[in-house]
Amino acid sequence: RKEVEQDPGPFNVPEGATVAFNCTYSNSASQSFFWYRQDCRKEPKLLMSVYSSGNEDGRFTAQLNRASQYISLLIRDSKLSDSATYLCVVNKKGMRFGAGTRLTVKP
Amino acid sequence: DAGVTQSPTHLIKTRGQQVTLRCSPKSGHDTVSWYQQALGQGPQFIFQYYEEEERQRGNFPDRFSGHQFPNYSSELNVNALLLGDSALYLCASSLDPGAGGGEQYFGPGTRLTVT
């Protein structure tokens, strides 16, 4: 079993849609959690950290369920500029990345 | 404020050769992590350096080694290159590894092609 598993995607949605990404992780002792986005041929960039209480940053909402070892990312009112690959990241003695879910937002 | 820098940007090597990749962390950061990203995959953790020592290591063979210098910059060395080592090698810097890992900032990567 992979340490971090994500929806395989790709997701193709119209502008303004709401899209949700899911992620599960295998190591219950994982300490911190993040969502990164990666544009084509670019380096990953931190989108947001994920906290147990849930957290929101504008149109983006992240949730963590430690009991289920599950992380989610919700994007509301999606924009063309949201098109990217979204990477779920879990930190336990090193950052472990999922394979990423590709999102394409279309006009 | 200088971000994470890596050199070279691209590199072509032959099977069996050795390669050294370099990374300078973001100003104020003291921890450097290295990742390998194959096409269509997420980055895979190679190892992390803090206080000039390898602090954590992922599931990579001993052909992959590294070093961190007193100024916090770092090198990744790969010996006996295989075709499968062709990938984007990413360096990331952060602060405060003792707290379970802070936010990491990535450099633009070095694209290595092994022929």
Side-chain angles (χ1 to χ4, degrees):
Chain A
R1 182 184 173 189
K2 291 182 180 178
E3 292 181 281
V4 182
E5 298 203 56
Q6 295 186 238
D7 287 340
F11 284 48
N12 297 301
V13 303
E15 272 187 292
T18 296
V19 60
F21 300 139
N22 301 315
C23 170
T24 57
Y25 59 95
S26 61
N27 191 329
S28 61
S30 297
Q31 298 169 306
S32 50
F33 309 88
F34 308 90
W35 284 101
Y36 277 73
R37 71 169 275 167
Q38 187 172 25
D39 294 291
C40 189
R41 295 192 170 276
K42 297 286 188 180
E43 70 274 19
K45 291 187 177 178
L46 179 67
L47 180 64
M48 59 197 302
S49 301
V50 187
Y51 304 111
S52 297
S53 55
N55 48 300
E56 188 174 307
D57 183 2
R59 298 181 293 107
F60 299 84
T61 301
Q63 295 277 353
L64 166 65
N65 184 322
R66 284 187 183 268
S68 303
Q69 296 176 206
Y70 171 88
I71 306 164
S72 66
L73 175 68
L74 185 76
I75 304 175
R76 292 182 299 277
D77 187 24
S78 52
K79 312 291 185 190
L80 296 177
S81 58
D82 293 334
S83 297
T85 296
Y86 289 82
L87 297 159
C88 175
V89 186
V90 171
N91 186 37
K92 172 58 182 175
K93 295 187 177 180
M95 302 279 267
R96 315 293 173 164
F97 284 73
T101 303
R102 185 171 179 80
L103 171 66
T104 300
V105 181
K106 298 184 175 181
Chain B
D1 181 21
V4 181
T5 59
Q6 292 186 242
S7 63
T9 53
H10 295 83
L11 202 51
I12 299 175
K13 290 285 190 178
T14 304
R15 273 181 301 177
Q17 286 188 314
Q18 178 265 343
V19 68
T20 297
L21 310 181
R22 295 177 176 81
C23 171
S24 291
K26 181 177 168 66
S27 179
H29 283 183
D30 56 10
T31 302
V32 172
S33 302
W34 286 93
Y35 297 85
Q36 180 195 67
Q37 186 173 25
L39 202 60
Q41 299 297 316
Q44 297 297 305
F45 176 68
I46 302 175
F47 41 54
Q48 182 182 82
Y49 276 84
Y50 173 67
E51 292 189 340
E52 302 179 50
E53 291 190 0
E54 184 183 291
R55 194 168 185 273
Q56 297 164 354
R57 189 179 183 91
N59 192 22
F60 277 79
D62 292 345
R63 298 187 297 111
F64 290 77
S65 63
H67 189 77
Q68 186 178 34
F69 299 94
N71 68 352
Y72 307 121
S73 67
S74 177
E75 290 182 347
L76 165 65
N77 300 294
V78 187
N79 294 323
L81 284 167
L82 304 173
L83 295 179
D85 294 333
S86 295
L88 179 68
Y89 287 85
L90 293 160
C91 168
S93 73
S94 58
L95 266 177
D96 195 21
E103 299 171 5
Q104 295 196 351
Y105 294 81
F106 283 82
T110 294
R111 188 162 296 281
L112 172 66
T113 302
V114 182
T115 62

